[in-house]
């Protein structure tokens, strides 16, 4: 995800201590690992991160609920102080795919646009104030583009009968081989 | 060339593990891909919660006994690597116990040392402890139980057995062969049981076939109730119940569900080495019938029963085969389960007629090759997003075939050697 800041907004942002807050509602086929996000927070990539909703990482998508992820990232003043018409800030969030409902080949998961805010702190007469405001959508290139899609491989229902038959047949055959070898083993 | 002594091997292994732990800390701090196992962070978080008076089960995916979190509490106030040092120390202890068991059975020093090296220098095993996986603790307990049995200390064996089953459920499969081995024919009054020495395997008649059959199935029923068996059963059961009861008292249903029931009922639709994963995924949207559950359990049950009935008197060999089969036929197989039988492999090597060239190498190559083949398809699915479910499932079939191939070769090339020598007296009177 990249954000572009025009001159006017940059001036405003460099005056205070600011961070970008991204709130993304993830589709049910996708999740983010809260512990992985905490690792990024510890390494200073994000200033804060949280996941709300279904945090069970092991469930397939048809047994799980949606999650919302919130990322706080400070904007480096060096980025904003660059003498360019626009400055770009890139934010990367690790996402993982859940096991999808059965289908044919791939399951398409569509991402909605995130809600993005800038939160700036300023101190006046020993009182620290924090003001958050949404970033105009015109500054987010991805919002103008077509929705983001992720094609995730899924199991094929047509395989079910063959897979079950061969799985059990194979298990029984290999078990029989071991049994026969054991029974025919001579202790001499 | 200097002779390799067990002491130097152990020292070298210890130094190597310390270096690996230090390297792991460096990699975690400087590289995107961490050296430390994800499970270690789960244990550490659970231990930190316990240290602050909370339940370790507030940490999601913590599915172990609270004892493990208790052992790792120093991670919070001493150093985050405490657990890794503890697990690596257990890993070294496994090597020591392997050597001890082989010496007790009369295996020459050089062969005992080389067998122990199969564990100590196995890349899989030395990474597992240094990455923060707790399996070496379980392995060391199982080997200690073997030593207690060999030294006719059923009380201590029972305590550790109850504890290890509380920690990890899978050693429950060893219950029946242990009960069988506590045969009164092997235990004379006020005398330690005689261990069959390694040199017996080339002897023509020191243990005749009828004696070997007596230590077995028929005699088990004839002399079922003996004080050693009763003591072992009651004490191990009591230990398990006390530890489980205490954990339940402290942490309630969270403990029961996460540490016990989850493992007993686990069916994971996500890809793993098991041949059942794709079948489970394809049928996950509906409940499995009783018949389906029974059919999937039957191969496992049958193999376990036959292995016990045929090989229980040669206890280390029986435990090894049981563990390989248990892992191979399980509904979920992850790489850490392999440690369960790696720690038993050195105990059977001195009795194997299989030469490294070329049958031994063939077994190793087939097993590693099948695993690598599976990992390749797993990589394509997980990291490249290719739809290779069918190929991955077929790779898991191949992996089961590889495990079967190895088991058959190990069985065929093994010189059967009971752990205990039956007494010359045929009396079944228990002492």
């Amino acid at each position: 995800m990249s954000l572009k800041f025009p001159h006017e907004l940059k001036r405003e942002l460099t005056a205070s201590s600011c961070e970008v807050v991204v709130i993304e509602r993830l589709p049910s086929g996708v999740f983010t690992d809260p512990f992985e996000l905490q690792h990024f927070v510890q390494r200073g990539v994000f200033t804060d991160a949280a996941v709300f909703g279904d945090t069970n990482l092991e469930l397939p998508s048809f047994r799980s609920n949606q999650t919302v992820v919130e990322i706080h990232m400070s904007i480096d003043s060096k980025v904003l102080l660059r003498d360019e018409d626009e400055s770009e800030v890139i934010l990367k969030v690790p996402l993982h795919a859940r096991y999808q409902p059965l289908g044919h080949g791939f399951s398409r998961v569509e991402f909605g646009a995130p809600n993005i805010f800038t939160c700036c702190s300023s101190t006046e007469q020993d009182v620290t104030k924090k003001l958050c405001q949404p970033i105009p959508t015109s500054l987010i290139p991805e919002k103008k583009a077509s929705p983001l899609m992720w094609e995730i491989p899924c199991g094929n229902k047509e395989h079910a009968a063959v897979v079950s038959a061969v799985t059990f047949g194979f298990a029984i055959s290999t078990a029989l081989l071991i049994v026969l070898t054991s029974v025919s083993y001579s202790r001499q | 060339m200097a002779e390799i002594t067990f002491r130097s091997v152990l020292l070298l292994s210890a130094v190597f593990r310390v270096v690996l732990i230090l390297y792991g800390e460096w990699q975690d701090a400087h590289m995107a891909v961490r050296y430390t196992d994800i499970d270690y962070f789960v244990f550490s978080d659970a231990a930190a919660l316990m240290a602050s008076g909370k339940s370790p089960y507030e940490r999601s995916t913590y599915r172990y006994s609270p004892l493990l979190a208790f052992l790792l509490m120093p991670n919070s106030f001493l150093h985050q690597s405490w657990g890794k040092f503890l697990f690596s120390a257990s890993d070294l202890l496994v090597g020591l116990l392997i050597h001890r068991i082989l010496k007790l059975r009369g295996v020459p020093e050089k062969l005992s040392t080389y067998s122990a090296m199969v564990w100590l220098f196995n890349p899989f095993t030395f990474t597992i402890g240094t990455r923060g996986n707790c399996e070496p603790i379980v392995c060391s307990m199982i080997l200690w139980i073997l030593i207690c049995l060999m030294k006719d200390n059923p009380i201590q064996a029972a305590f550790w057995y109850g504890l290890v089953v509380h920690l990890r459920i899978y050693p429950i499969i060893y219950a029946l062969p242990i009960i069988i081995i506590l045969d009164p024919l092997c235990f004379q009054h006020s005398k330690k049981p005689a261990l069959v020495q390694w040199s017996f395997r080339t002897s023509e008649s020191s243990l005749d076939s009828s004696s070997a059959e007596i230590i077995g199935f028929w005699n088990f029923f004839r002399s079922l109730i003996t004080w050693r068996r009763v003591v072992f059963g009651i004490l191990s059961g009591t230990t398990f119940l006390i530890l489980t009861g205490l954990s339940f008292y402290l942490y309630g249903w969270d403990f029961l569900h996460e540490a016990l029931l989850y493992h007993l009922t686990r069916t994971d639709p996500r890809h793993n080495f098991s041949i059942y994963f794709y079948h489970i995924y394809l049928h996950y949207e509906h409940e499995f019938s009783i018949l389906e559950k029974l059919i999937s359990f039957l191969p496992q049950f049958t193999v376990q029963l036959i292995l016990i009935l045929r090989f229980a008197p040669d206890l280390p060999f029986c435990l090894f085969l049981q563990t390989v089969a248990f892992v191979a036929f399980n509904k979920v197989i992850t790489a850490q389960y392999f440690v369960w039988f790696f720690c038993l492999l050195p105990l059977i090597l001195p009795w194997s007629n299989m030469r490294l060239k070329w049958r031994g190498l063939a077994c190793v190559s087939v097993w590693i090759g099948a695993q690598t083949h599976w990992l390749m398809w797993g990589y394509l699915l997980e990291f490249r997003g290719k739809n290779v479910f069918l190929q991955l499932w077929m790779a898991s079939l191949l992996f089961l075939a590889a495990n079967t191939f190895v088991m058959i070769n190990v069985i065929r090339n093994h010189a059967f050697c009971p752990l205990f020598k039956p007494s010359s007296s045929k009396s079944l009177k228990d002492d």
Side-chain angles (χ1 to χ4, degrees), chain B residues 271-274 277 369-379 382 391-397 399:
Chain B
H271 56 284
N272 59 86
F273 290 108
S274 173
F277 93 85
Q371 215 182 121
T372 309
H373 175 245
W374 188 96
L375 288 170
M376 179 196 76
W377 293 112
Y379 169 77
E382 220 175 302
Q391 295 92 321
L392 191 56
W393 165 68
M394 287 163 71
S396 63
L397 293 177
F399 186 59

Side-chain angles (χ1 to χ4, degrees), chain B residues 10 16 25 47 49 51-52 63 88 101-102 162 166 175 180 184 202 232 248 256 269-270 277 323 336 351 405 413 415:
Chain B
L10 203 61
F16 186 54
E25 293 298 302
L49 284 164
S52 58
R63 298 200 169 99
S88 297
I101 289 170
L102 293 176
H166 167 79
I180 290 174
T202 53
F232 185 86
F248 180 72
L256 211 59
R270 294 172 302 165
F277 93 85
T323 315
Q336 71 188 73
W351 284 267
F405 172 78
N413 290 280

Side-chain angles (χ1 to χ4, degrees), chain A residues 15-30:
Chain A
S16 322
S17 155
C18 294
E19 61 181 12
V20 169
V21 178
V22 176
I23 299 173
E24 171 81 49
R25 187 185 193 86
L26 297 175
S28 66
V30 170

Side-chain angles (χ1 to χ4, degrees), chain A residues 1 6 25 40 50 57 62 67 75 77-78 80 115 128 140 143 151 160 167-168 172 179:
Chain A
M1 191 190 306
R25 187 185 193 86
F40 283 113
L57 314 177
F62 43 90
T67 54
I75 307 169
S77 54
K78 285 183 233 166
L80 298 169
N115 295 107
T128 305
I140 307 166
K143 275 211 173 188
E151 291 200 331
T167 299
F168 289 126
I172 290 168
V179 165

